[in-house]
Amino acid sequence: MNAPVKIETTLKDWETDQEVRWCPGCGDYAILKAVQRTLPELGADPANTVFISGIGCSSRFPYYMESYGFHTIHGRAPALATGTKLANPDLDVWLVTGDGDGLSIGGNHMMHVLRRNVNMQIMLFNNEIYGLTKGQASPTSREGTKSPSSPLGSVDHPANPCAFALGAGARFVSRGFDVSKKLPEVLKAAHAHQGAAFIEIFQNCIVYNKDVFEAFAAPKGAEEHQLWLEDGEPMLFGSEKTGGVKGLSFDAERMAFDVVDVNGDDWQVAGVTRHDAKNRMMAHLLAEMPFGPYPMALGVLYDDPRPTFESAVIAEREQASSGKVANLAKLLASGQTWTVDGTAQDPQ
């Protein structure tokens, strides 16, 4: 595999001539612009970049990126993306999916692309609802969500995308939200990771699940409830960093965090824990930390690379073919074969 050649582009170089068609006010617009702004900063080449999606509102994404793209079938984007990466490991592959597409019919495929550690960026837009099919409850919909499929309120316990990714063996797990100015930094961190990089992006569905994330993801005023994680830095939150997250020790049953007040720069006195992006247990706790009593954990929860799936496959291919000469005719004639001479036989 060759290192990608960085080139200079602008946001305009990544915009297509297609009319962007999401509902007015949809969070997907903000995510699209964040990606289009980020790629030039990465030095990405449109001719070496491919966006692969499944089915859903999020899956219109490839139409709006001036690069290669593949709008695939429901839930199967991870399988197509894996095949693309194996066929051409030098491609920069971005997988785009939603909470319905990626965690319901596509949950099995998502699990395997994560555990295999195929080198790609996986953006899962989570609006906690099925938007394209008119507002049914999705795997991430909260208990009590009223929808066409759950008119009395959903009784399902919702899936947690980041916890799912960690459970499937992902080596990079992160979170952001659609209108956040910090989303490009999360995308850059995912791109720098060699392996399957999972990014949950909270996305406002203006029609069927409006403002469900408003408490921590509003454009303004929600900073008090955002814990932006930085490796090696204390876990402080709030506009003035007056809140902190403190790790509690193991007891007989569990390990958990506690929220503490911080006065000035005395975060060490308050016992605030430093984030360790390579600590898998800490990542699990952050992923499942309930919002309300705690702030929403955002940024890179976990980043601990290991060899990628395609590098192992390539090494295996090279080992299998070492010292051998390709000969298709010989291969076809090997084993149990027979020859039909073509002479017409008289049925009499």
Side-chain angles (χ1 to χ4, degrees), residues 78 102-104 106-115 122 124 140 158-170 173 175 198 200 280 284 287-288:
L103 295 178
S104 58
N108 186 45
H109 294 275
M110 181 66 70
M111 176 182 72
H112 293 304
V113 77
L114 291 171
R115 73 170 180 81
I122 302 167
L124 186 142
T140 59
N160 181 320
C162 286
F164 171 87
L166 287 164
V173 178
R175 274 194 190 128
F198 183 85
E200 178 187 12
R280 194 173 189 86
H284 272 285
E288 300 197 53

Side-chain angles (χ1 to χ4, degrees), residues 58 95-103 110 122-127 140 161 164 198-203:
S58 62
L95 192 155
V96 187
T97 185
D99 48 303
D101 180 67
L103 295 178
M110 181 66 70
I122 302 167
M123 298 189 295
L124 186 142
F125 298 7
N126 182 11
N127 55 21
T140 59
F164 171 87
F198 183 85
I199 315 151
E200 178 187 12
I201 305 175
F202 296 112
Q203 176 255 321

Side-chain angles (χ1 to χ4, degrees), residues 215-216 221-227 237-239 291-292 294-298:
F216 67 85
E223 296 83 3
E224 301 303 317
H225 307 289
Q226 299 171 9
L227 170 60
F237 63 93
S239 57
F291 178 70
Y294 299 92
M296 177 57 68
L298 300 163

